[in-house]
Amino acid sequence: MPCLTCFALYLNNDHKLDIAAKAGSPDTKLSVLLRNGNDTFHLTWSGDPVLAIPSFVVGDFNKDGKLDLAALYNTLIGFGIRRIQILLGNGDGTFRRGWNQLIGLPGFIATGDFNNDHRLDLAIFGCCISSTSHSLYILLGNGDGTFQNKQTFSLTATASSMVIRDLNHDGRGDVVLTHSQDNTISVLLNVP
C-alpha cells in the first residue's frame, strides 16, 4: 500500500518521530503509526476506511499542545461534496472527531495564520464541476478547534499543490500555488 501523503512528526510527545499518512486505493484512509524504540512502527489509529481522503494537514487547532488533523473527506451525498473534518489529538497518537463542515469540491488543504491572531486557519483550493472557475476558501480559526464561515476568493487556474508561508514577513500567511499543466507558480500575498 503506497503512502500518498505523509507527515513525520511527534504525535505522542515521546520524542520519537511518528507518521500520519493517507494511503491505499481505492478507499484511501488516514492512519497514524507511532514509532517503537527499534525504528519500527505500529498502527495506533485509523480513520473511516469508507470515505476517501483527498488531502489533510497537521496542526494544533485547539491550542492544547497536542497535534490535530484537518482532513477533507469525500461524502456519500454525491460527487463534488466533501466534508472538512477536524480530528482532535488525544496526545497518544489517537484522535477524536471534532468540528466539521460540508464544502464544495476542494482538492487541497493547507494551514497557516492568515490574520496574525496566533490561531491556525485553513486554506482550501477548490474548483467547480461545471465550469472552469476555481476558488480559494479561507476559514479563520477560532483557536478552539472550530472555524468561521469560509471566505471565497476566485482564481483563474487549476492548482496541483498549495503551501502557506509568510513570504513577506508581515505575520500573515501567503499562498503559493503550483500549476502542473503549464509549469507555473502563483504567489498570492495576503493583504490586510
Side-chain angles (χ1 to χ4, degrees):
M1 201 179 317
C3 179
L4 303 175
T5 301
C6 296
F7 290 95
L9 27 86
Y10 301 106
L11 290 170
N12 61 348
N13 297 317
D14 66 356
H15 304 290
K16 299 174 188 171
L17 279 176
D18 306 308
I19 297 172
K22 72 180 190 84
S25 180
D27 294 323
T28 304
K29 65 180 178 179
L30 186 58
S31 298
V32 171
L33 298 105
L34 295 184
R35 183 176 174 190
N36 299 319
N38 58 359
D39 292 334
T40 61
F41 295 83
H42 65 279
L43 182 69
T44 60
W45 180 87
S46 186
D48 191 336
V50 176
L51 302 176
I53 300 173
S55 181
F56 78 100
V57 293
V58 179
D60 184 2
F61 299 113
N62 60 353
K63 301 185 80 167
D64 66 354
K66 302 170 187 172
L67 288 177
D68 310 309
L69 306 174
L72 298 174
Y73 281 81
N74 287 330
T75 66
L76 301 176
I77 295 173
F79 180 75
I81 303 297
R82 291 195 174 137
R83 180 177 302 280
I84 307 165
Q85 177 71 65
I86 300 299
L87 301 161
L88 298 172
N90 296 318
D92 60 358
T94 63
F95 297 83
R96 64 191 185 281
R97 293 189 184 277
W99 178 91
N100 72 85
Q101 184 178 81
L102 290 176
I103 196 163
L105 183 61
F108 308 104
I109 187 170
T111 188
D113 184 359
F114 291 105
N115 55 353
N116 200 18
D117 65 355
H118 307 289
R119 300 173 185 165
L120 287 178
D121 308 312
L122 297 175
I124 300 167
F125 174 81
C127 64
C128 299
I129 298 169
S130 61
S131 72
T132 57
S133 64
H134 307 278
S135 299
L136 176 67
Y137 307 121
I138 302 295
L139 292 89
L140 298 178
N142 296 319
D144 59 359
T146 66
F147 293 82
Q148 298 173 29
N149 290 333
K150 69 181 178 186
Q151 301 172 34
T152 303
F153 301 90
S154 295
L155 302 174
T156 58
T158 300
S160 51
S161 66
M162 173 176 60
V163 294
I164 309 302
R165 295 290 183 271
D166 182 4
L167 299 176
N168 56 357
H169 305 290
D170 66 353
R172 299 171 186 272
D174 304 305
V175 178
V176 179
L177 298 168
T178 62
H179 311 282
S180 60
Q181 292 177 349
D182 57 5
N183 293 321
T184 61
I185 296 173
S186 298
V187 175
L188 308 173
L189 293 178
N190 184 350
V191 180

